[in-house]
Amino acid sequence: MTLNLRPTAALCVALSLCALLAVPDNFPGMSGQARLTLAVFALATCAWIGTPVDDTYIALGAGLALTVTGVISSDTLFGTLGDPTVWLLICAFVLAAAVTRTGIAGRAAAFLVGGARTVRQLVHLTTAALVVTAFAVPATSGRAALALPVFLALAKALADRRRLVVMLALLFPTVILLSAVATLIGAGAHLITVSVLWQAAGERIGFTQWLLLGLPLAVASSHLAAEAVLLTTTRRADRRAAVHITAEEIQEHSKSPVTGPWTQAEKRCALLLGTVVVLWCSEPLHQVPPAVVALIGAIVASSPALGTVRLKDALKTVPWSLLLFMAATMAMGVALADSGAAQWVVSGLPADVTPVVFLTLVVVVSTAAHLVLQSRSARSSVLVPLVVAAAVGAGVNPVTAALASTAAAGFCHTLPASAKPVTLFADIPGTPTYTPRDLLRLSAVLAPLTAALVLLFAVAVWPLLGVPVVR
């Protein structure tokens, strides 16, 4: 009988830490609540790493344990579900369901990809289209599902050029993951980061500020990754040959028309989505919170007269498990901050670390974290509270540190199981796709490139946009 060492090792580490925390003479200066918080936090993290138990179940158990032991109140635990960012995500999924139902995405794909005449044009037009989807569909797994039919159409049109098909199979999840940082609703991890910043540092990031900081990084990293994918998976002869994708070829994999006159439903949905995005981006002018704008948009999108989807059908697309996970981990973040546990963990860091060195360590650790924690939200739940506490102690702007950690944690391309979009495109029946060796080759190039780009933005670009490196 073979023993699975990973869960056993994780359990041993967690129990050993809990045993050390249980001895009063160990770690002088740490309060009882901080000890309880660290014990629960260690057990939850090791369970996320080393067991097949659902991440949400673990997070809810940890939140319940912190409530029962009195570290946080029941109002704190349950109140996280009423956080505006949670409502923002719920309403964004309702809007996404309306967009998906109308088939606007197919028209956009036919318009953009149909203009490509070279392989490089095809790659960068596809990249641009995938970046734009971050504004219409929240969560990377939802965007991957929306983009899959477009990939299948491209794969069929390029069936006689296998290496190009493999390249596109790798391009889609790569860009989807890296471009998520463009918007606040791009990933659940972003909402966790915003909540932790507010609870631990009193810093609030709105939709507009995130867009201002994240969109340039998303565009730069996505197109840089597109070049990396192109150069690591194709040969010069592949890139020199011309391409031509017709709307008819894309239509074969789309249930709704991709050409011709727009239907009334498509026009209404496009107008609604455009209005919502404009209102999100102009929040400083009208002062209406993004969650309220999203709720108005969701009500209109599902209304009997103007909507394109029924509310009960749209609500079925909402990942309730993810929302519960986010709420529970927000409560864990509150416990880490309020109990003093996070401050104690980072108190042993050297005091003379320069801001650039500190941010470099944050980016490197966050980039590599996907090898241990596969859930993007779990990575932010573990890293961001510690990063924020350490940043305050090191004199670094906690907003810069938290954003750098969250952006760097968006890299998760090393293994097929590292992220849901990577898993989805790794195994498509009847279509050639990438192998684990292709992923490793790309990761060897892309990991240092994306880490360096995030660090560059943190120290050179974001200060120009109003977010300095130091407090």
Side-chain angles (χ1 to χ4, degrees):
M1 182 177 178
T2 303
L3 181 65
N4 190 336
L5 295 180
R6 185 173 177 178
T8 305
L11 180 61
C12 289
V13 170
L15 292 178
S16 299
L17 181 57
C18 291
L20 291 173
L21 291 169
V23 179
D25 292 338
N26 291 334
F27 315 119
M30 186 188 299
S31 67
Q33 287 195 339
R35 292 174 185 270
L36 284 170
T37 301
L38 282 181
V40 172
F41 195 75
L43 288 169
T45 303
C46 291
W48 283 329
I49 294 172
T51 70
V53 181
D54 185 78
D55 290 345
T56 302
Y57 186 86
I58 295 169
L60 288 174
L64 180 61
L66 292 170
T67 303
V68 170
T69 54
V71 177
I72 58 175
S73 66
S74 58
D75 289 342
T76 299
L77 176 64
F78 298 128
T80 53
L81 275 174
D83 191 275
T85 55
V86 173
W87 278 91
L88 173 63
L89 195 59
I90 293 173
C91 297
F93 270 100
V94 174
L95 286 168
V99 172
T100 304
R101 181 68 62 91
T102 58
I104 295 177
R107 287 186 179 273
F111 174 76
L112 285 172
V113 176
R117 293 297 177 265
T118 66
V119 173
R120 183 163 271 109
Q121 284 181 351
L122 175 64
V123 166
H124 286 283
L125 285 173
T126 301
T127 299
L130 290 172
V131 171
V132 171
T133 62
F135 294 90
V137 182
T140 53
S141 56
R143 292 168 62 204
L146 181 69
L148 184 59
V150 177
F151 164 72
L152 291 174
L154 296 177
K156 185 173 182 180
L158 300 170
D160 57 336
R161 302 165 70 175
R162 188 180 188 280
R163 275 191 293 270
L164 290 187
V165 175
V166 173
M167 180 271 295
L168 289 172
L170 195 52
L171 176 71
F172 272 71
T174 298
V175 174
I176 286 170
L177 290 168
L178 293 179
S179 62
V181 74
T183 70
L184 182 59
I185 62 173
H190 302 169
L191 306 182
I192 293 172
T193 298
V194 169
S195 176
V196 171
L197 274 171
W198 174 245
Q199 296 289 345
E203 299 280 358
R204 186 177 292 280
I205 299 180
F207 187 95
T208 305
Q209 187 180 13
W210 190 291
L211 181 69
L212 179 66
L213 301 171
L215 181 58
L217 175 58
V219 172
S221 61
S222 295
H223 286 280
L224 179 66
E227 282 294 323
V229 171
L230 184 62
L231 296 176
T232 57
T233 55
T234 62
R235 299 173 182 173
R236 184 173 298 179
D238 299 322
R239 298 189 290 272
R240 285 180 173 176
V243 296
H244 181 58
I245 310 296
T246 65
E248 289 73 19
E249 290 169 323
I250 295 178
Q251 181 67 74
E252 292 180 11
H253 291 270
S254 177
K255 296 179 180 179
S256 55
V258 299
T259 58
W262 284 47
T263 65
Q264 289 300 318
E266 289 174 330
K267 291 178 181 178
R268 291 197 306 270
C269 188
L271 178 61
L272 174 62
L273 181 61
T275 302
V276 168
V277 172
V278 169
L279 290 175
W280 278 340
C281 297
S282 58
E283 179 192 355
L285 298 177
H286 53 70
Q287 298 298 313
V288 180
V292 175
V293 172
L295 181 57
I296 295 172
I299 290 175
V300 174
S302 58
S303 64
L306 301 175
T308 58
V309 63
R310 293 189 301 175
L311 182 60
K312 67 176 184 179
D313 294 331
L315 290 176
K316 291 178 183 178
T317 67
V318 177
W320 298 105
S321 178
L322 172 63
L323 295 177
L324 289 173
F325 177 86
M326 286 171 46
T329 51
M330 285 177 187
M332 292 172 64
V334 172
L336 280 170
D338 291 352
S339 68
Q343 186 60 45
W344 184 90
V345 169
V346 302
S347 61
L349 294 177
D352 57 348
V353 174
T354 65
V356 174
V357 171
F358 177 84
L359 289 173
T360 300
L361 292 173
V362 167
V363 169
V364 170
V365 171
S366 301
T367 301
H370 73 282
L371 298 174
V372 180
L373 281 169
Q374 294 180 349
S375 168
R376 191 172 188 163
S377 297
R379 290 198 294 276
S380 288
S381 302
V382 172
L383 292 174
V384 174
L386 302 180
V387 166
V388 169
V392 173
V396 177
N397 187 350
V399 175
T400 302
L403 286 176
S405 175
T406 304
F411 176 84
C412 38
H413 303 67
T414 306
L415 302 170
S418 294
K420 291 179 181 177
V422 180
T423 304
L424 178 63
F425 281 86
D427 184 18
I428 303 176
T431 303
T433 185
Y434 48 84
T435 64
R437 184 176 179 179
D438 295 324
L439 282 175
L440 290 174
R441 183 168 58 247
L442 175 64
S443 295
V445 175
L446 195 55
L449 284 178
T450 55
L453 187 63
V454 170
L455 185 61
L456 174 65
F457 267 75
V459 301
V461 178
W462 290 341
L464 300 177
L465 301 175
V467 182
V469 174
V470 296
R471 303 190 75 181

